[in-house]
Coordinates of all heavy atoms in Angstrom, one line a residue:
D156 N 79.5 101.0 86.0 CA 79.0 99.6 86.1 C 78.4 99.1 84.8 O 78.5 98.0 84.4 CB 77.9 99.4 87.2 CG 78.5 99.7 88.6 OD1 79.8 99.6 88.7 OD2 77.8 100.0 89.5
D157 N 77.7 100.0 84.0 CA 77.1 99.6 82.8 C 77.5 100.6 81.7 O 76.7 101.6 81.4 CB 75.6 99.6 83.0 CG 74.9 98.9 81.8 OD1 75.6 98.4 80.8 OD2 73.7 98.8 81.7
P158 N 78.7 100.5 81.1 CA 79.1 101.5 80.1 C 78.3 101.4 78.8 O 78.4 102.3 78.0 CB 80.6 101.1 79.8 CG 80.6 99.6 80.2 CD 79.6 99.4 81.3
G159 N 77.4 100.4 78.6 CA 76.6 100.3 77.4 C 75.4 101.2 77.5 O 74.7 101.3 76.5
D160 N 75.0 101.8 78.6 CA 73.8 102.6 78.7 C 74.0 103.9 77.8 O 75.1 104.4 77.6 CB 73.6 103.1 80.1 CG 73.1 102.0 81.0 OD1 72.7 100.9 80.4 OD2 73.1 102.1 82.2
P161 N 72.9 104.3 77.1 CA 73.0 105.5 76.3 C 73.2 106.7 77.2 O 72.8 106.7 78.4 CB 71.6 105.5 75.6 CG 70.7 104.8 76.5 CD 71.6 103.7 77.2
P162 N 73.8 107.8 76.7 CA 73.9 109.0 77.5 C 72.6 109.6 77.9 O 71.7 109.6 77.1 CB 74.7 109.9 76.5 CG 74.4 109.4 75.2 CD 74.2 108.0 75.3
D163 N 72.6 110.1 79.1 CA 71.3 110.7 79.6 C 71.3 112.1 79.2 O 71.6 113.0 80.0 CB 71.3 110.5 81.1 CG 70.0 110.9 81.7 OD1 69.0 111.1 81.0 OD2 69.9 111.0 83.0
D164 N 70.9 112.4 78.0 CA 70.8 113.8 77.5 C 69.3 114.3 77.5 O 69.1 115.3 76.9 CB 71.4 113.9 76.1 CG 70.7 112.9 75.1 OD1 69.8 112.1 75.5 OD2 71.2 112.8 74.0
G165 N 68.4 113.6 78.1 CA 67.0 114.0 78.1 C 66.2 113.6 77.0 O 65.0 113.8 77.0
V166 N 66.8 113.0 76.0 CA 66.0 112.5 74.8 C 66.2 111.0 74.6 O 67.4 110.6 74.6 CB 66.5 113.3 73.5 CG1 65.7 112.8 72.3 CG2 66.3 114.8 73.7
S167 N 65.2 110.3 74.5 CA 65.3 108.8 74.3 C 65.9 108.5 72.9 O 65.6 109.2 71.9 CB 63.9 108.2 74.4 OG 63.4 108.4 75.7
P168 N 66.7 107.5 72.7 CA 67.3 107.2 71.4 C 66.2 106.7 70.5 O 65.3 106.0 70.9 CB 68.4 106.1 71.7 CG 67.9 105.5 73.0 CD 67.2 106.6 73.8
P169 N 66.4 106.9 69.2 CA 65.3 106.5 68.3 C 65.4 104.9 68.2 O 66.4 104.3 68.2 CB 65.7 107.1 67.0 CG 67.2 107.4 67.1 CD 67.4 107.7 68.5
S170 N 64.2 104.3 68.0 CA 64.1 102.9 67.9 C 63.9 102.4 66.5 O 63.9 101.3 66.2 CB 62.9 102.4 68.8 OG 61.7 103.0 68.4
S171 N 63.6 103.4 65.6 CA 63.4 103.1 64.2 C 63.7 104.2 63.3 O 63.8 105.4 63.8 CB 61.9 102.7 63.9 OG 61.1 103.8 64.2
P172 N 64.0 104.0 62.0 CA 64.3 105.2 61.1 C 63.3 106.2 61.1 O 63.6 107.4 61.0 CB 64.6 104.5 59.8 CG 64.9 103.1 60.1 CD 64.1 102.8 61.3
D173 N 62.0 105.9 61.2 CA 60.9 106.9 61.2 C 61.0 107.8 62.4 O 60.8 109.0 62.3 CB 59.6 106.2 61.1 CG 59.4 105.3 59.9 OD1 60.1 105.7 58.9 OD2 58.6 104.4 59.9
Q174 N 61.3 107.2 63.5 CA 61.4 108.0 64.7 C 62.6 108.9 64.7 O 62.6 110.0 65.4 CB 61.4 107.2 66.0 CG 60.1 106.4 66.2 CD 60.1 105.6 67.4 OE1 61.2 105.5 68.1 NE2 59.0 104.9 67.8
S175 N 63.7 108.5 64.0 CA 64.9 109.3 64.0 C 64.7 110.7 63.3 O 65.4 111.6 63.6 CB 66.0 108.6 63.4 OG 65.7 108.3 62.0
T176 N 63.7 110.8 62.4 CA 63.5 112.0 61.7 C 62.5 112.9 62.3 O 62.4 114.1 62.0 CB 63.0 111.7 60.2 OG1 61.8 110.9 60.3 CG2 64.1 110.9 59.5
A177 N 61.8 112.4 63.3 CA 60.8 113.2 64.0 C 61.5 114.1 65.0 O 62.5 113.8 65.5 CB 59.8 112.3 64.7
E178 N 60.8 115.3 65.2 CA 61.4 116.2 66.1 C 61.2 115.7 67.5 O 60.1 115.2 67.9 CB 60.7 117.6 66.0 CG 61.0 118.3 64.6 CD 60.4 119.7 64.6 OE1 59.9 120.1 65.6 OE2 60.5 120.3 63.6
P179 N 62.2 115.9 68.4 CA 62.0 115.4 69.8 C 61.1 116.3 70.5 O 60.9 117.5 70.2 CB 63.4 115.5 70.3 CG 64.1 116.5 69.5 CD 63.5 116.4 68.1

Side-chain angles (χ1 to χ4, degrees):
D156 294 342
D157 190 4
D160 287 346
D163 189 11
D164 54 2
V166 180
S167 301
S170 58
S171 64
D173 295 337
Q174 293 181 356
S175 62
T176 58
E178 293 186 4

